[in-house]
Amino acid sequence: MDLLAAIADERHRVADLLDSLTPAQLDMMSLCSRWTVKQVAGHLVAAVDTPPRALPPLVLRSGLNLHRANIRLAVRAAERPAGEMAATLRERANHPVKPPVVGLRGQLTDLQVHGQDIRRPLGLPHGLRLDRLHASLDFLTGGRAIGFTPRRRVADLRFESTDLDWSWGTGAVVAGPAEALMMAMTGRAVVLGELDGPGVRLLRDRLRP
């Protein structure tokens, strides 16, 4: 799979999604922490539109806390009109962001997961491609998903997709659609009701705050 092309296409899909949402929908809470739908989109915009020189001062102002700096970037980007954010995603769709360690598969996974953080609370279909979900599941279980999936979360579990030929791990089985597996691995407990198998209870315990 051409990862750069897949990433660009997912950015276009998020841009189209933004253009379709009402102000009330943009202000709804997403699945991602305490962010609104628009702030989640802001995170995706900031990833392609923040000049590298702006990062060190922001990290310093955030007490050298990268997570806090990331939140500030997302909130700042979300202050822009939604149409402008969508236009930026389209203009920068081919921007080759390569985060350290997680690489292009991490970038693709970030787009797919956060797209679902927006769509699921709004009751919108995801339309994610199975080959891209396959790539994200491989990434999340491949040992490089720093900031996405703690190793303890997936340890001693066997994940089995019911809509593509993919499985990983040994232990109690967690089975379900690839999209729901991806969201569960990244900490979204709301999807647990869509999964089946004796491992679901253990995964639920690990997702509790």
Side-chain angles (χ1 to χ4, degrees), residues 57-69:
L58 182 61
V59 172
L60 285 174
R61 290 197 300 273
S62 302
L64 300 180
N65 186 310
L66 292 176
H67 179 66
R68 191 178 302 151

Side-chain angles (χ1 to χ4, degrees), residues 112-160:
Q112 294 193 107
V113 170
H114 285 311
Q116 289 306 93
D117 285 336
I118 292 172
R119 296 183 189 97
R120 274 183 167 268
L122 299 176
L124 300 176
H126 62 75
L128 295 174
R129 285 178 41 169
L130 288 176
D131 58 340
R132 296 175 189 175
L133 287 168
H134 196 297
S136 288
L137 292 176
D138 283 343
F139 164 71
L140 292 171
T141 55
R144 300 180 64 185
I146 296 173
F148 288 82
T149 304
R151 292 189 181 185
R152 178 186 173 277
R153 182 179 293 157
V154 297
D156 302 318
L157 292 172
R158 177 173 176 78
F159 293 89
E160 299 180 352

Side-chain angles (χ1 to χ4, degrees), residues 2-196:
D2 185 335
L3 287 171
L4 286 173
I7 289 167
D9 183 60
E10 290 298 332
R11 287 176 181 152
H12 277 287
R13 294 185 71 236
V14 173
D16 292 344
L17 177 60
L18 272 175
D19 279 340
S20 74
L21 300 181
T22 66
Q25 288 175 314
L26 291 166
D27 287 339
M28 283 185 63
M29 296 308 298
S30 73
L31 294 186
C32 186
S33 187
R34 293 183 293 274
W35 284 359
T36 66
V37 162
K38 193 178 183 188
Q39 287 168 342
V40 171
H43 163 71
L44 298 176
V45 171
V48 296
D49 200 44
T50 302
R53 65 180 180 276
L55 291 176
L58 182 61
V59 172
L60 285 174
R61 290 197 300 273
S62 302
L64 300 180
N65 186 310
L66 292 176
H67 179 66
R68 191 178 302 151
N70 187 43
I71 291 173
R72 288 186 175 185
L73 282 172
V75 171
R76 181 187 301 173
E79 293 173 353
R80 298 157 63 179
E84 183 179 319
M85 295 167 65
T88 298
L89 282 171
R90 291 190 183 96
E91 292 166 4
R92 306 285 285 172
N94 294 298
H95 184 61
V97 176
K98 293 184 180 180
V101 183
V102 302
L104 293 177
R105 289 179 185 269
Q107 186 68 36
L108 176 62
T109 302
D110 197 53
L111 283 157
Q112 294 193 107
V113 170
H114 285 311
Q116 289 306 93
D117 285 336
I118 292 172
R119 296 183 189 97
R120 274 183 167 268
L122 299 176
L124 300 176
H126 62 75
L128 295 174
R129 285 178 41 169
L130 288 176
D131 58 340
R132 296 175 189 175
L133 287 168
H134 196 297
S136 288
L137 292 176
D138 283 343
F139 164 71
L140 292 171
T141 55
R144 300 180 64 185
I146 296 173
F148 288 82
T149 304
R151 292 189 181 185
R152 178 186 173 277
R153 182 179 293 157
V154 297
D156 302 318
L157 292 172
R158 177 173 176 78
F159 293 89
E160 299 180 352
S161 172
T162 56
D163 55 358
L164 56 79
D165 183 16
W166 182 92
S167 61
W168 176 89
T170 58
V173 171
V174 177
E179 181 267 344
L181 291 178
M182 177 185 72
M183 297 301 285
M185 288 182 192
T186 53
R188 279 63 174 178
V190 69
V191 305
L192 291 176
E194 301 168 32
L195 303 177
D196 193 19

